Amino acid sequence: MTEEKLALLSEISDVLKAVTSKDVELKPGMNIVNDLGLDSIAVMNFCMALEDKFDISIPLNDMASVVTVDDLADTITTLRSNA
Amino acid sequence: MAILDKFSTLAARYDALKQSGSDPFSVKFDDIISSVEGVVNGKRTVLFGTNNYLGLTFDPVAMERSIEAIRQHGTGTTGSRIANGSYKGHEQLERELADFYGRKHCMVFSTGYQANLAMISTLVGKDDHLIIDADSHASIYDASRLGHAPVVRFRHNNPDDLAKRLARLKDVPGEKLIVAEGIYSMLGDTAPLKEFVDVKREFGAYLMVDEAHSMGVLGQRGRGLAEREGVEEDVDFVVGTFSKSLASVGGFCVSSIEGFDILRLAARPYMFTASLPPSIIASTISALETLRHEPQRRTKLRANSRRFYNGLKDAGFTVGPEANPIVAVILNDVAVATAFWKRLIDEGMYLNLALPPATPNSSAFLRSSVSAAHNDEHIDFAIELMTRVGREFGLIPDAEPDYSNVTQFPRVSAERPAARASIAPARRREADVGAGMA
Ligand SMILES: Cc1ncc(COP(=O)(O)O)c(C=O)c1O
């Protein structure tokens, strides 16, 4: 994993902690719904907080294809580079 | 069977709910006596979960016209308007709705759900952007999946958040459509439309407002929140439903945008489903006339809403932010809410139990809708009952308000005074009315 990716994962886990008070060490392969124990509403709040943090909008259709923490990091990276 | 395996979690949750002794998702009405009274489990029950805002489901004129329409034009149209043609009634209803809203165009759909599906999925295409409130109704979410535009959500009723999201799209090509609701169906709160209009203007977006729960309820003439807020000029599309204030079924969209009618050949949920039958069109036209000509119903509805909302608030319940006809008592515990709901049913009051994920923040609501057809007795009965149960459950403080002038149970309404269903064996058992949660 690159430095950048590690840094991003740590930023994502800060957001997760702020929104859901779950303090987990994020691993790229983790499944967002199952491994993080988030229901659909928690995912939505998490998602909105990420949008604020990174100043991006993650379209719902992009979010639909996000399954793992790795997918999420990639989506954020792509959206940030487009911004 | 394997194909249903994916529902095992849902099924387990539903089983647990049923184990607790109540099943809020399959309430069976033995009979419906009036707009606000029914029979559940052989017991006469006051209805506080209907969306029947103006109390028109038993309106005698609407019923007669509906029956006459069946005699004249039959029970169904057996096809879509594109494939099988329009009846005069469809066009008349569209003209009357356009006239009511002071707009050039109207399209009528077979349900309010389909009105949202059709309009939202068609107006924005893959190169456009759809921006919706995070607490939007399921029909708006489903529309966003049917269409091809990227979908962005903004925080519920938050104009700054909306502006932030539009700012991010500022230099991105494509049209932007913002969708908000007049009154939100779970909490009864209204959208900050004036502020949304400012944002919309700043970013050159289009604005659609779903007035499903505010038509016939808000505004001098009953056109909804946009009328009350004085921003109708800036609302490009109004969608609504016939299934609430207008007491039938169906939906519509009105707009003055040029070229509107091309949507009839582009919106699939309009093109590929059968049009509304003559009886429904006839009663809806009649109910719209009543809505327009009897503003006293709106006045009564407002007074009733305030009485009920204030009664529950004064008793110490946590209620939604505004005294609108949708009154939500917010309880945080699903099990408590379910037991509370069950007690109310057992004691003769029906309202909706709203559970996550239909509710914001994983809370559980006892969601009621007030009707112009409720009288003070119905409302005071409901307040007294909910207060008593709330105290018993330890949810609200014990106080000693004076209920000495409140009768124990409302009398039979005037609409079907002959109804004896609470003592007679239930008739029409098969005519179940679903426990619609908005
Ligand atoms: C906000 C909102 N929009 C649309 C609908 C759909 O209306 P209908 O039940 O007429 O399909 C509803 C309610 O069901 C609603 O609450």
Side-chain angles (χ1 to χ4, degrees), chain B residues 29-151:
Chain B
F29 290 97
D30 302 329
D31 199 1
I32 292 291
I33 301 169
S34 75
S35 294
V36 290
E37 288 172 72
V39 179
V40 182
N41 300 327
K43 184 173 177 68
R44 198 158 68 240
T45 298
V46 189
L47 307 180
F48 269 89
T50 61
N51 309 311
N52 196 347
Y53 298 121
L54 299 181
L56 291 177
T57 43
F58 284 80
D59 183 73
V61 178
M63 290 198 292
E64 278 316 311
R65 290 209 205 160
S66 215
I67 292 162
E68 186 53 27
I70 293 182
R71 292 219 168 86
Q72 297 243 340
H73 307 294
T75 51
T77 66
T78 65
S80 95
R81 290 172 63 186
I82 295 304
N84 303 52
S86 293
Y87 291 20
K88 280 194 181 129
H90 295 125
E91 289 171 357
Q92 186 193 343
L93 178 54
E94 285 175 345
R95 276 195 308 275
E96 309 234 335
L97 280 163
D99 179 63
F100 174 55
Y101 278 96
R103 309 259 176 171
K104 292 203 184 100
H105 313 284
C106 174
M107 250 166 106
V108 159
F109 301 90
S110 301
T111 64
Y113 177 86
Q114 283 160 296
N116 273 334
L117 278 196
M119 292 307 301
I120 297 172
S121 71
T122 312
L123 281 171
V124 278
K126 74 175 175 30
D127 299 324
D128 301 317
H129 301 272
L130 177 60
I131 322 237
I132 66 176
D133 188 290
D135 285 2
S136 286
H137 186 261
S139 55
I140 296 171
Y141 271 101
D142 291 357
S144 79
R145 295 175 60 175
L146 185 63
H148 302 288
V151 187

Side-chain angles (χ1 to χ4, degrees), chain B residues 155-169:
Chain B
R155 289 198 163 80
H156 177 55
N157 275 355
N158 188 329
D160 293 337
D161 201 56
L162 172 64
K164 200 160 68 183
R165 277 148 214 284
L166 280 163
R168 285 184 195 133
L169 291 170

Side-chain angles (χ1 to χ4, degrees), chain B residues 111-113 116 137 139 181 185 210 212-213 241 243-244 250 438:
Chain B
T111 64
Y113 177 86
N116 273 334
H137 186 261
S139 55
E181 294 173 34
S185 60
D210 180 350
H213 292 273
T241 174
S243 69
K244 304 181 198 303

